[in-house]
Amino acid sequence: MDSPAPIERLRLPATCDAAAADALKTELAARLDAGTPVVLDASDVAEPSVAAIQLIESASEAFAARDLRFGLADPSDALCAAYEDIGLYSALMQRLVMDA
């Protein structure tokens, strides 16, 4: 039996603007293609953008469709507030992982 792929932990930048979201999209696509589960460390995010949140949410769906683990660890207060501001706080809570 094959052992599952190890979870890769990616750290989100402090400024999660559209440019950062584009770079993250490329990284996540590569991990998705490789079948690698991903946890995003969101502890440093000071300036989240809607583009970054949209990417996180669409990535979550894409990884789930491939039955791969995907989540957020240690979201910053700024990221939590941004999710709440756009009405997606419950989605954020569903993305949280505690053991990665």
Side-chain angles (χ1 to χ4, degrees):
M1 178 178 200
D2 292 335
S3 61
I7 297 170
E8 188 160 344
R9 191 174 177 111
L10 301 175
R11 184 175 293 273
L12 295 177
T15 301
C16 258
D17 57 10
D22 281 344
L24 181 60
K25 181 180 178 181
T26 301
E27 287 188 50
L28 290 175
R31 270 76 177 181
L32 186 61
D33 288 344
T36 304
V38 172
V39 170
L40 301 176
D41 180 333
S43 60
D44 292 338
V45 177
E47 297 177 40
S49 69
V50 172
I53 292 172
Q54 288 173 326
L55 175 62
I56 291 166
E57 291 305 306
S58 66
S60 177
E61 295 297 319
F63 276 74
R66 296 272 313 272
D67 201 25
L68 293 170
R69 186 169 183 195
F70 179 86
L72 285 167
D74 305 319
S76 67
D77 290 343
L79 184 61
C80 290
Y83 261 87
E84 189 167 14
D85 287 347
I86 62 173
L88 291 176
Y89 190 75
S90 62
L92 171 67
M93 293 296 105
Q94 293 173 6
R95 310 283 171 258
L96 293 182
V97 296
M98 301 298 184
D99 61 346

